[in-house]
Amino acid sequence: MNVPIIYTLCMILFSVGIYGIVTKKNVVKIILSILIMENALNLFILMIGYRKDGIAPIVQPGMDAAGFAASSVDPLTQAMVLTSIVIGLSMIALMVAIAIRLYERFGTFDISEIKDLKE
Amino acid sequence: MNILPLFVTIPLAGAFVVSLFDFIKDEKKKNISTNIFASLAGLVLLVISIKVIGSAGVYSMGKWKLPEGIVLVLDPFSGPILLITNLISFICILFSFDYMSGYNGREKYYSLFFLMVAGMNGLVLTGDIFNLYVFLEIASVASYALVGFGTMREEIEATFKYMVLSSVATAFMLLGVAFIYGFTFNLNMVSVAKALGSMEAPVGVYVALGLFIIGFSIKSALIPFHAWLPDAHPSAPAPISAMLSSVVIKTVGMYSLIRICYVVFGMNTGQVPEVLRVLGILSMMLGVLLALGQWDFKRLLAYHSVSQMGYIALGFGLGTPLGVIGGIYHLLNHSVFKSLLFLNSGAVYYRTGTRDLKEMGGLGKKMPVTGATSMIASMSIAGIPPFNGFWSKLIIIMACIKSSHPWLAFWAVLGSILTLASFLKVQRYGFLGKVKDSLRNVKEAPFMMQVSMITLALLCLAMGGLMLPGLYDLIFVPAAGIILDQAQYLKLVLGN
């Protein structure tokens, strides 16, 4: 099985994010780990549509459809990444707001001290 | 005119418009006007979702045809889910009138509420995998904010936990979508289904399948992915607990799981149903055992949500028509009785200020409507005839026996008995017995709360009628057909 090295690197970055979420005790570091995870995903999606020496997905004058399809990178993945960046932004914004409230209520960012709710 | 896009546009526009009511400075006037606006919008959604039940249709957004365009698909599986979503959200809006008087920022509450409804309606209707992810995120982000709406210690802690686990789940889903796109170069469900059917599936497709199963299992809180639910659902305001437990985990979790794994991947036999059965049995038994030891009313209900999701997963996991019908039926029934129970707990909390069963007692005498409706809901969830929960559990147990899994039937019956024990405890400590001295001056819940609870209680009785041959053939048989036969779905969407 032949997996390009770039995909492997994206997956390593994704795993770094997951590792951070699981092991870190600090709320801000958890949020940063989620950011890393999302960015790894965005990179991965972009790389699926990547083509070596591909042109930007804009039809130039005098270019026919077949020639465009043969030389351009995939525009759909770029649209997907754009959407996913916006979603990630809204989620991170809400998370940071919640983190500020957490600090107001508990006076700490350490999640091992934030445990009012019993198991 | 095709009315399918209205299911997304009405709540989205409603969310925008209701947030403009902020300009009304007088708190009382603002509350009344937002209440009227929200209930009208909810009523319109309910009416159009009743109108489309039993029909099927496809709407191409912006007149872009398949396979390039994005479609909204109404099929026999999404119709009932759409109806129950809009029904429960309308009833929860009615309940919010009085309950939310303890919170300020009513227009923001309704705005988030409608965003959540828009996300769920879109998710149920969409025929595109990436759109499913987008709508799912809309519903989830709105629900994070709603869980933490009170912004006190407990709510903020619960919502942070919910957010972190849930964002891992959605990241897994997006990764699954990326894998699918990488292998099929398509995103709409029919093209993906056709492409996957025609090729020898590479390993990556199974990786994507695993990512989807994990992601949606976290969202639908199947054990061992349930850790966030018993914190998040009780901490939210009661109408939101009702929405989360009765609709959100079903549409965002179980519906999407079945839609992707069974309809798109076409894997309704073999390994995937087996995984669902195992997760179902685990959730069913461990959920109810964990619920038995709880004294917090809402936390107990939250653990029962895990347990009942297990029944639904078991029904779908059998993979036979009867089992799938049982799964859908129990999904609808659980939406009704679990939202009723959460609204009961909300009414009790509104009048007494406690969720602890040990501090309650004899509330049935002081709050007759709440007591009676909670009795009906308890009997429904425990599976006592003639209430709706009995019929759907009966179908699931019969399906277990017919597909030669007698042990699964045994566990399902045992789970049902333990559920009964748990709700006898709720009734015994909460609503029956002697009235505590501290509760002498408790009054019945306000009128609108009573209306919403009585409506749901009547539905608990009436939904047993879905077993009648006419309705059964109209609603459940076509739905099971779509889930178990991919060709029917392709035919419906492509139209030939």
Side-chain angles (χ1 to χ4, degrees), chain A residues 82-93:
Chain A
L82 203 58
T83 316
S84 119
I85 287 173
V86 174
I87 291 172
L89 173 77
S90 67
M91 204 159 78
I92 294 293

Side-chain angles (χ1 to χ4, degrees), chain A residues 69-115:
Chain A
S71 58
S72 153
V73 297
D74 190 344
L76 189 60
T77 52
Q78 301 185 356
M80 277 163 73
V81 166
L82 203 58
T83 316
S84 119
I85 287 173
V86 174
I87 291 172
L89 173 77
S90 67
M91 204 159 78
I92 294 293
L94 185 59
M95 272 194 173
V96 172
I98 297 280
I100 293 170
R101 282 298 172 103
L102 263 180
Y103 192 78
E104 272 176 18
R105 300 285 180 233
F106 291 87
T108 175
F109 273 138
D110 188 346
I111 53 164
S112 54
E113 287 172 28
I114 301 173
K115 45 181 178 188

Side-chain angles (χ1 to χ4, degrees), chain A residues 7-83:
Chain A
Y7 294 161
T8 321
L9 288 177
C10 288
M11 286 301 114
I12 291 172
L13 195 57
F14 187 79
S15 317
V16 170
I18 296 275
Y19 174 80
I21 293 169
V22 174
T23 56
K24 291 297 167 198
K25 297 270 184 240
N26 189 310
V27 167
V28 179
K29 284 183 183 166
I30 292 176
I31 295 175
L32 287 178
S33 308
I34 291 175
L35 256 175
I36 292 174
M37 187 175 73
E38 276 176 359
N39 285 341
L41 259 177
N42 291 342
L43 211 55
F44 179 69
I45 298 174
L46 266 187
M47 284 306 153
I48 291 173
Y50 176 75
R51 162 184 283 158
K52 198 164 183 295
D53 301 329
I55 60 165
I58 303 166
V59 183
Q60 305 291 343
M63 186 184 273
D64 61 338
F68 174 72
S71 58
S72 153
V73 297
D74 190 344
L76 189 60
T77 52
Q78 301 185 356
M80 277 163 73
V81 166
L82 203 58
T83 316

Side-chain angles (χ1 to χ4, degrees), chain A residues 11 27 34 37 41 48 74 76-77 80 87 91 94-95 98 101-102 105-106 114-118, chain B residues 130 137 141 151 153-154 156-157 159-161 163-164 167-168 171-172 175 178 181-182 187 231 299:
Chain A
M11 286 301 114
V27 167
I34 291 175
M37 187 175 73
L41 259 177
I48 291 173
D74 190 344
L76 189 60
T77 52
M80 277 163 73
I87 291 172
M91 204 159 78
L94 185 59
M95 272 194 173
I98 297 280
R101 282 298 172 103
L102 263 180
R105 300 285 180 233
F106 291 87
I114 301 173
K115 45 181 178 188
D116 276 10
L117 297 166
K118 55 184 182 290
Chain B
F130 189 70
E137 280 283 20
V141 172
T151 68
R153 284 170 76 98
E154 190 185 310
I156 291 290
E157 184 190 341
T159 192
F160 188 75
K161 216 179 210 179
M163 255 177 133
V164 171
S167 59
V168 173
F172 277 9
L175 193 57
Y181 184 74
L187 283 175
D231 293 336
R299 209 176 167 81

